[in-house]
């Protein structure tokens, strides 16, 4: 992976090593979030409750990474001599891991929705919701590759991918909100409405990650 910083002062090796370690930890956290997103997709669309049961354990790991990375960033900022570029990178990391942590939370929410909706017959809109989920997962994967490569162009391009998810959300919301002839129980409709909202927010956070990568590279928001 490309180094985030370029410090020429050989008397300050600690910030370089610390930031490189943080890069690795952020990507490890990102891999866990990707895994949690895949499991939530499997739980909801393949009706795999075993996958749903894995999410709370993964979410705890993600939360531990989040707290550790935030703490490490704060320590480097306050205790070590850091350049302006270092500080920009550390600031972006602190915001970026919040986005990852929120995606992990939404994945856990999707798993809970999968458990609650399991007794009901599959809804006709599920294939379209599954496609929305695939698109949001692709956005997360793209944002993490952009981070690993420090690819500003890919980071900014994710915003274009977000348009497809937003359009899917708008269309599916209209279908679910205006569904007629619902036989008695409306819980599955409500649960699916919550699910598409989770997916829309997950895509937004993936977009944020891409924007933060561009900020690390260019210094421009």
């Amino acid at each position: 992976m490309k180094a985030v910083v370029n410090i020429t002062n050989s008397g300050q090796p600690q910030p370089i090593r610390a930031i490189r370690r943080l890069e690795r930890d952020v990507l490890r956290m990102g891999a866990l979030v990707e895994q949690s997103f895949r499991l939530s997709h499997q739980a909801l669309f393949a009706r795999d409750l075993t996958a749903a049961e894995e999410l709370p354990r993964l979410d705890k790991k993600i939360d531990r990474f989040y707290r550790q990375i935030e703490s490490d960033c704060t320590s480097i900022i306050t205790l070590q001599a850091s350049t302006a570029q270092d500080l920009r990178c550390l600031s972006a990391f602190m915001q970026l891991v919040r986005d990852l942590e929120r995606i992990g939370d939404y994945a856990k929410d999707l798993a809970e929705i999968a458990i609650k909706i399991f007794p009901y017959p599959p809804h006709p809109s599920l294939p379209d919701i599954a496609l929305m989920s695939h698109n949001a997962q692709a956005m997360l994967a793209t944002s993490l590759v952009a981070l690993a490569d420090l690819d500003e162009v890919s980071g900014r391009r994710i915003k274009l991918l977000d348009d497809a998810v937003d359009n899917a959300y708008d269309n599916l919301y209209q279908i679910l909100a205006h569904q007629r002839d619902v036989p008695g129980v409306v819980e599955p409709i409500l649960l699916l409405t919550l699910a598409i909202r989770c997916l829309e927010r997950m895509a937004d956070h993936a977009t944020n990650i891409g924007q933060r990568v561009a900020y690390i590279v260019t210094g421009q928001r």
Side-chain angles (χ1 to χ4, degrees):
M1 186 171 77
K2 296 179 182 177
V4 170
V5 295
N6 180 21
I7 302 173
T8 57
N9 183 353
S10 59
Q12 296 290 346
Q14 290 300 323
I16 299 174
R17 286 202 294 267
I19 291 174
R20 285 177 179 169
R21 185 180 67 249
L22 276 171
E23 290 174 354
R24 291 192 295 270
D25 286 345
V26 171
L27 289 173
R28 288 169 65 195
M29 179 182 177
L32 287 176
V33 173
E34 280 195 288
Q35 183 182 359
S36 69
F37 203 158
R38 285 194 299 270
L39 285 172
S40 68
H41 182 99
Q42 189 175 339
L44 186 57
F45 302 108
R47 300 170 69 85
D48 183 349
L49 298 190
T50 302
E53 291 166 359
E54 284 289 304
L55 265 296
R57 179 185 61 82
L58 265 180
D59 190 59
K60 288 179 181 177
K61 287 185 176 181
I62 291 167
D63 287 344
R64 281 197 295 271
F65 264 113
Y66 171 54
R67 290 191 295 268
Q68 173 205 319
I69 292 168
E70 271 209 328
S71 176
D72 289 347
C73 286
T74 302
S75 295
I76 297 171
I77 291 171
T78 57
L79 300 178
Q80 300 188 27
S82 302
T83 67
Q85 189 176 11
D86 295 340
L87 294 173
R88 185 172 77 223
C89 178
L90 293 165
S91 171
F93 278 171
M94 292 178 75
Q95 296 171 323
L96 193 151
V97 293
R98 290 192 195 106
D99 289 309
L100 286 173
E101 191 268 342
R102 290 302 295 137
I103 294 173
D105 284 345
Y106 284 122
K108 188 174 71 169
D109 291 344
L110 286 174
E112 292 171 358
I113 290 170
I115 292 170
K116 290 178 181 177
I117 208 170
F118 183 82
Y120 298 102
H123 191 273
S125 293
L126 274 178
D128 290 330
I129 300 174
L131 178 59
M132 183 182 178
S133 176
H134 278 304
N135 288 338
Q137 287 180 72
M139 290 174 63
L140 175 60
T142 301
S143 72
L144 291 172
V145 171
L147 175 62
D149 294 339
L150 287 184
D151 185 343
E152 173 206 353
V153 175
S154 292
R156 294 196 186 280
R157 192 178 293 141
I158 295 167
K159 182 66 180 74
L160 300 176
L161 301 176
D162 190 44
D163 292 341
V165 174
D166 286 342
N167 290 336
Y169 173 79
D170 291 341
N171 292 334
L172 285 163
Y173 183 86
Q174 290 301 316
I175 291 170
L176 294 170
H178 297 96
Q179 183 166 340
R180 300 176 183 274
D181 303 322
V182 179
V185 180
V186 298
E187 184 180 31
I189 305 300
L190 295 175
L191 290 171
L192 290 177
T193 304
L194 287 173
I196 62 172
R197 179 57 177 164
C198 287
L199 291 168
E200 190 267 340
R201 293 300 297 137
M202 292 162 100
D204 284 346
H205 285 291
T207 301
N208 289 346
I209 293 170
Q211 298 297 311
R212 302 195 201 292
V213 170
Y215 173 66
I216 291 172
V217 176
T218 68
Q220 297 178 351
R221 297 188 181 276

